[in-house]
Amino acid sequence: MTEATTTTLLPEPATDDIRLAAVLHALADPVRLQIVRQLADGHQDMACIAFSLPVSKSTTTHHFRVLREAGVIRQHRRGTSRVSTLRTADLEQTLPGLLDRVLVAARAEALRHPMDPPSDAPTME
Amino acid sequence: MTEATTTTLLPEPATDDIRLAAVLHALADPVRLQIVRQLADGHQDMACIAFSLPVSKSTTTHHFRVLREAGVIRQHRRGTSRVSTLRTADLEQTLPGLLDRVLVAARAEALRHPMDPPSDAPTME
């Protein structure tokens, strides 16, 4: 008898409830921008991404939640891990072209100002 | 003998110092989005725009300052009035296509959810 691993979808807004101001707020943080870039590059596991971020685990959890509650990412709890994906199609439907422009700008800025490290300093929230 | 009206440029970041996270933060507020839409529609006078916003004059001044300090708008003090313009070319150089996508999304959202009023409620700052 095998026991299937339960996968739980964490709470998120419906596509129609995604709002521009909330998405911009979620993206308006260097650490969250870095998370979004890593998800766009194909990473999925939260613990794995957290490993490369210069912030504590609880801060990372907070940042993933802000992104999820704004509708930018989807999170599944599977056993003890959380798998995250960008809601690319939902965002494209609601805010066409926006995520793409943000990712392009974030990558260009990382090349232009490599000395701007995402920090754990308080952000303007 | 005529006395020229002095025009003072208020402090703003150089184009190269405009940062994605700061611009997204500045745009991540319904009232500031409405200000940016009105500037994009050709309005310039801060007092005139303030007249159509559902917030107090001091809150409006705060919102204009956040936009200016992020590099989204330029403000000149001319006599007792403040003239504001979008830094469209500077933003296009630093964050290509971003402002355009935000404006398109903001207009579409205003049509889709006309009952979402910008409010004077505390934002997540």
Side-chain angles (χ1 to χ4, degrees):
Chain A
M1 212 167 63
T2 59
E3 194 179 345
T5 305
T6 310
T7 299
T8 314
L9 178 67
L10 298 183
E12 64 178 33
T15 304
D16 191 50
D17 291 330
I18 294 175
R19 288 296 188 281
L20 176 61
V23 168
L24 292 174
H25 169 75
L27 297 173
D29 177 279
V31 173
R32 291 198 289 269
L33 278 174
Q34 194 168 333
I35 291 171
V36 168
R37 282 179 60 199
Q38 294 192 40
L39 292 172
D41 291 342
H43 297 277
Q44 288 200 328
D45 186 85
M46 181 175 148
C48 176
I49 292 176
F51 192 74
S52 67
L53 295 174
V55 297
S56 69
K57 185 170 177 302
S58 69
T59 302
T60 302
T61 303
H62 163 75
H63 285 314
F64 272 83
R65 194 180 68 239
V66 172
L67 288 167
R68 173 167 50 79
E69 290 179 349
V72 177
I73 69 170
R74 171 162 294 148
Q75 287 192 291
H76 287 93
R77 190 186 294 119
R78 190 178 299 160
T80 57
S81 68
R82 289 190 182 188
V83 176
S84 305
T85 46
L86 282 178
R87 293 178 64 179
T88 312
D90 297 341
L91 290 169
E92 192 57 27
Q93 181 184 324
T94 321
L95 310 169
L98 182 68
L99 181 64
D100 179 61
R101 287 297 93 194
V102 169
L103 284 168
V104 167
R107 290 183 182 120
E109 189 167 279
L111 291 174
R112 207 163 48 233
H113 302 286
M115 300 306 289
D116 279 1
S119 76
D120 206 3
T123 55
M124 296 173 288
E125 295 187 74
Chain B
M1 212 165 67
T2 58
E3 194 179 347
T5 305
T6 310
T7 299
T8 314
L9 178 67
L10 298 183
E12 64 178 32
T15 305
D16 191 50
D17 290 331
I18 294 174
R19 287 296 188 279
L20 175 61
V23 168
L24 293 173
H25 169 75
L27 297 173
D29 177 278
V31 173
R32 291 199 288 270
L33 278 173
Q34 195 168 330
I35 291 171
V36 168
R37 282 180 60 200
Q38 294 191 41
L39 291 173
D41 290 343
H43 297 277
Q44 288 200 327
D45 187 84
M46 181 175 148
C48 176
I49 293 175
F51 193 74
S52 67
L53 295 174
V55 296
S56 69
K57 183 170 179 303
S58 69
T59 303
T60 302
T61 303
H62 163 75
H63 285 314
F64 273 83
R65 195 180 67 237
V66 172
L67 289 167
R68 174 167 50 80
E69 291 179 348
V72 177
I73 69 171
R74 171 163 294 148
Q75 287 191 291
H76 287 93
R77 190 185 294 120
R78 191 178 299 161
T80 57
S81 69
R82 287 188 183 192
V83 176
S84 304
T85 46
L86 282 178
R87 294 178 63 177
T88 312
D90 296 341
L91 290 168
E92 192 57 26
Q93 181 184 325
T94 320
L95 311 168
L98 182 68
L99 181 65
D100 179 62
R101 287 296 94 195
V102 169
L103 285 168
V104 167
R107 291 184 181 119
E109 190 167 279
L111 291 174
R112 205 164 51 234
H113 303 286
M115 299 306 289
D116 279 0
S119 77
D120 206 3
T123 54
M124 295 172 290
E125 296 186 73

